[in-house]
Amino acid sequence: MVTYRNTSGNFASVGDTAALPELAVDASPGINPSAGSFLSVPVSESATAADLKIEGCENLTDALCIGDRFRLSVTWRDFEDRTGVGTPRDLTEDTAYFTFFSPSNIELMVKVLDGTGFNGRYWVFFAALSNVEFTLTVEDLETVAVRNYRNPRGSFASVGDTAAF
């Protein structure tokens, strides 16, 4: 039996390839938590929708919108330097997930919450179920603000950005 514990107030994503050795392909790496492994990169406040080439929410295949306001997209790079875009799927009105390699294998969960009643901001939370490098882009179609969250290869990220937009 393996037990994992996350204390209140922490974001944790863990990949334990040694938990079930009879099923693991490579059990040597063990647990690899990555607190603080993401980079949030805001785009210039003076950018316009035309500068950013922001599209709306219609006819999207490599992105999706949450609440017709926040457009989410993901690019990834694996350990063999192959690259691609995440395939998005709606889960609830404020939550989505992305697959990278197979429609049945979820790699990234994302939710955007309206925290304006608490701190005047919209919040972005995400949790990686993979240690593949990725960049999550969240675009606010109303204000044209953009946040890019980059997770380096080999890291597992869980992030709560309560000041995103």
Side-chain angles (χ1 to χ4, degrees), residues 46-127:
S46 63
T48 66
D51 294 334
L52 300 173
K53 295 179 178 63
I54 293 178
E55 301 172 17
C57 293
E58 302 81 34
N59 303 317
L60 300 175
T61 57
D62 294 337
L64 64 75
C65 287
I66 289 182
D68 290 329
R69 177 169 176 175
F70 296 99
R71 185 173 186 258
L72 310 176
S73 60
V74 175
T75 58
W76 56 264
R77 182 170 62 123
D78 70 11
F79 289 92
E80 296 175 4
D81 283 328
R82 294 177 296 200
T83 61
V85 295
T87 302
R89 297 285 184 257
D90 288 323
L91 195 57
T92 67
E93 69 180 37
D94 57 15
T95 306
Y97 67 88
F98 288 85
T99 61
F100 298 169
F101 309 107
S102 165
S104 63
N105 188 11
I106 298 171
E107 303 287 345
L108 180 65
M109 300 286 297
V110 184
K111 66 181 175 178
V112 180
L113 300 177
D114 182 350
T116 56
F118 183 73
N119 69 347
R121 309 291 290 196
Y122 284 87
W123 305 347
V124 174
F125 294 87
F126 68 87

